[in-house]
Amino acid sequence: MMKLAGVYIEGVWQHGPCPLSVINPSNEQQLAEVAGGDGAAVARATLAARKAFSGWSSSTGSERAKVLRTIAEGVEARRERLVTLQASNNGKPLAEAQLDVDDVIATFCYYADLADGFDAGQDCAVALPTDDFVARLRREPCGVVGLIVPWNFPMVTTAWKLAPALAAGCCVVLKPSEVTPLAELELAAVIAEAGLPDGVFNLVCGTGIAVGAALAADPRIAKISFTGSNAVGVQVMQRAAETVKGVSLELGGKSSLLVLEEADLELALELACLGGFFNAGQMCSATSRVLVAEALYADFIVRLKTQAESIRLGDPLAGESDMGPLVNHAQYQRVHKHIAAGLDAGAQLLCGGSRPAELPCGYFISPTVFTEVPLDSALWREEIFGPVLCVRSVASEAEAVALANDSEFGLVASVISRDLGAAQRVANALEAGLVWVNAPQVIFPQTAWGGYKQSSIGRELGPWGLSAFQEIKHVVTAR
Ligand code: NAD
């Protein structure tokens, strides 16, 4: 079993006082012990970041771009190790873990390109309605930032925050999820070798209470960028409010896949399975409500059952597994509770709903599909974060849109139709930050990530992800 340092401050790896036990969810065995940090480690990390800030914030864009590209190259060089760690710690099948690594590389390269553009564009002239004054606009790094990430896409979420924060010129204290620190620690090792000045990047592994809450409260931190559950997001925001910190929040979802009357049924089935069962459904963007045009519904559910039952569950490290286990025992129990409550509420189980008999060990739950789900049930309304789909027949396009929008969340949606006019009309009517039309959940660094309503505050990726770490300064000078 690996014993790993879980704190990295001012260029030095350290063993913190709070041990974290890291489990392989496919066999329930301990994979590693990580010596995590506490509030004192957060204070030291923040101080180190503060000390490094004046140097890093005055570096040129091209200097920052160079480091970001070195990180991208380092991630590529360690691809195999990162994939294996991600698969064994998260339970992701190898093919999914590969996609995470691709995403991390693309994100660092994208923000390297944006950083390269800073030097020419740092001071922009601003048109004024008078000749008596001239004004220029500068975008400056907002300071030391705290990045708090969840366990479902740990490396990707980290990259989406860290790459723009470093590109902007911020210094960083990163807190990985205590459930999945292993790939994060490997990524941190890549970053440690990329040529950043000491103190620009710091990491403190640990629990939410010991480390995350301390970060949110630390007055030297200018901004918290948080991805995780709504309950914790609210706590982070409350704590951050005490010192009037900026917050970016990426929270939960209860998203829909809308199968319109002109849909290609094959494609709809494929995307329903991807939207519900990729990463064992542990996605904030899971399209866990499937709304199917009445004319297609009967055929759709028969074929969805067959397709869901053909998904091969097993060891994520075995190439033939399509789906792995849930991330840990707590999540396994939580999803079971939702399934039981759904049955109690009168929903009809079409398939799945329990552990596959051939996998007695590990946190496996078969792909699960419910029909006849009451609209006021927790199964229909709450984020389940497991491989559970609720399918419903809809009488019209308007009903599909109304049902999709009837949620406190508004992260993403998918629309399937050969009638592109109808699909685009529906996409425009949906309250969601990202809508895919006839497409899987492809994510580009150029397009924003984030949602409406209680799913998000702010946007990640694209230039929006960068401006989240920048302050706007205007300098107005009399002629
Ligand atoms: P979580 O909220 O339990 O934990 C997220 C992070 O916050 C972890 O690092 C945790 O240690 C830390 N934390 C816990 N308590 C804290 C506190 N009091 N103060 C500060 N930090 C604290 O979430 P999770 O279970 O790791 O992840 C699943 C959730 O994340 C789901 O709700 C999912 O929808 C959401 N998520 C959202 C997005 C998005 O982009 N919108 C992406 C991925 C996951």
Side-chain angles (χ1 to χ4, degrees), residues 11-165:
V12 181
W13 284 100
Q14 305 167 16
H15 287 259
C18 305
L20 303 169
S21 175
V22 184
I23 304 295
N24 179 336
S26 61
N27 60 19
E28 303 175 35
Q29 301 294 307
Q30 188 174 5
L31 271 173
E33 186 179 281
V34 172
D38 54 5
V42 170
R44 281 187 281 117
T46 309
L47 187 63
R50 198 59 245 170
K51 272 189 350 206
F53 183 67
S54 63
W56 182 243
S57 60
S58 51
S59 60
T60 64
S62 58
E63 283 164 349
R64 291 180 220 156
K66 190 165 167 245
V67 176
L68 293 177
R69 288 205 180 90
T70 306
I71 295 173
E73 286 160 16
V75 170
E76 182 59 65
R78 296 208 197 186
R79 172 183 282 276
E80 214 173 305
R81 176 107 183 110
L82 286 164
V83 165
T84 309
L85 287 172
Q86 188 83 312
S88 51
N89 191 178
N90 276 79
K92 288 172 193 263
L94 291 173
E96 293 187 17
Q98 292 278 7
L99 290 177
D100 283 6
V101 175
D102 291 342
D103 189 310
V104 170
I105 293 170
T107 303
F108 277 100
C109 290
Y110 172 74
Y111 283 108
D113 289 348
L114 288 199
D116 257 338
F118 284 174
D119 296 333
Q122 171 59 290
D123 286 87
C124 305
V126 180
L128 296 178
T130 166
D131 290 336
D132 298 341
F133 302 92
V134 286
R136 62 189 167 92
L137 160 69
R138 289 174 62 75
R139 290 174 198 277
E140 300 190 342
C142 67
V144 174
V145 293
L147 313 180
I148 303 177
V149 301
W151 47 256
N152 61 337
F153 291 92
M155 260 197 297
V156 167
T157 320
T158 296
W160 290 8
K161 298 178 188 308
L162 185 61

Side-chain angles (χ1 to χ4, degrees), residues 336-349 370-374 376-379:
H336 269 299
K337 252 193 185 155
H338 269 293
I339 291 172
L343 290 169
D344 282 350
Q348 296 300 304
L349 187 65
F370 279 100
T371 59
E372 314 294 325
V373 182
D376 59 354
S377 64
L379 195 59

Side-chain angles (χ1 to χ4, degrees), residues 24-27 86-97 151 273 276-282 311-328 331-332 335 354-356 358-359 361-368 385-388:
N24 179 336
S26 61
N27 60 19
Q86 188 83 312
S88 51
N89 191 178
N90 276 79
K92 288 172 193 263
L94 291 173
E96 293 187 17
W151 47 256
C273 287
F277 307 134
F278 191 88
N279 207 27
Q282 300 164 114
I311 290 172
R312 293 163 303 181
L313 272 72
D315 180 358
L317 292 166
E320 67 274 10
S321 300
D322 300 319
M323 196 175 113
L326 299 184
V327 78
N328 62 11
Q331 194 58 20
Y332 176 79
V335 174
S354 57
R355 168 193 288 287
E358 68 281 11
L359 290 167
C361 180
Y363 306 118
F364 292 94
I365 296 184
S366 297
T368 299
F385 231 57
V388 180

